[in-house]
Amino acid sequence: MPHIDFPLVTDRLILRPFRPGDAEDVCDYQRRPDVARFMRWEPRGPQDVRVAVEQMARETEPASDGDCLSLAVVEPGTDRVIGQVELVLLSVEHRQGELGYVFHPAHQGKGFATEAAAAVLGVAFDVLGLHRVIGRCHASNTASAGLLERLGMRQEARFIGTELFKGAWRDDLVYAMLRREWQNLGRSA
């Protein structure tokens, strides 16, 4: 896989690999029940966040199926981590990936997640040469579905009762974008 040059800089954000010192900022949002509500994990305490950040700090060069690119989303000037974006390499052979993101509620609704996710889609299509990227979310997570739609991804599926999730059956929405669709949006480098 090609090398990714860090940091990624957008109009208002810096995306860079995680550092162990980011744990306090990450804990500030991962500890919150409103953030964990749609995540596969429960609110995390400081020790669990430290372990997660140490793992994410190693996720910088997706090369094999299942590898992840995890990036801290940082406010310029403050060096404060306000969220995270990731790209999971689902299949090298078929050039498929999956986009994910989590942001502190204080920084939601400002377009930061859309801006950061678009930068990662740029890496997926323009640097890694992926053919297709999906995004999945809990069907009740209208904010996440809206973000995927703002990126230009199209809803491909609604899976009903996919798993028992935090005591209830979960429905999932699946969105996707092909490289040619990304290029048609005029976003390619």
Side-chain angles (χ1 to χ4, degrees), residues 81-118:
V81 177
I82 63 170
Q84 60 198 67
V85 288
E86 69 178 26
L87 178 70
V88 178
L89 187 55
L90 298 177
S91 172
V92 172
E93 178 184 2
H94 302 291
R95 299 188 332 243
Q96 309 275 320
E98 180 173 357
L99 176 69
Y101 39 82
V102 182
F103 277 76
H104 192 293
H107 300 281
Q108 294 174 2
K110 300 176 183 179
F112 292 144
T114 304
E115 189 172 323

Side-chain angles (χ1 to χ4, degrees), residues 4 8-15 69 71 73 84-87 98-103 111-128 130 133-135 144 146-153 177-179 181-183 185-189:
I4 303 165
L8 306 177
V9 179
T10 69
D11 289 342
R12 302 179 295 161
L13 302 169
I14 297 170
L15 284 67
L69 170 64
L71 298 175
V73 181
Q84 60 198 67
V85 288
E86 69 178 26
L87 178 70
E98 180 173 357
L99 176 69
Y101 39 82
V102 182
F103 277 76
F112 292 144
T114 304
E115 189 172 323
V120 171
L121 283 176
V123 169
F125 293 121
D126 300 332
V127 178
L128 301 179
L130 296 187
V133 175
I134 67 167
S144 187
L147 188 157
L148 295 168
E149 290 168 7
R150 283 189 301 281
L151 290 168
M153 299 178 91
M177 176 180 279
L178 299 176
R179 185 170 192 256
E181 294 169 319
W182 174 255
Q183 292 169 330
L185 292 172
R187 293 184 172 156
S188 289

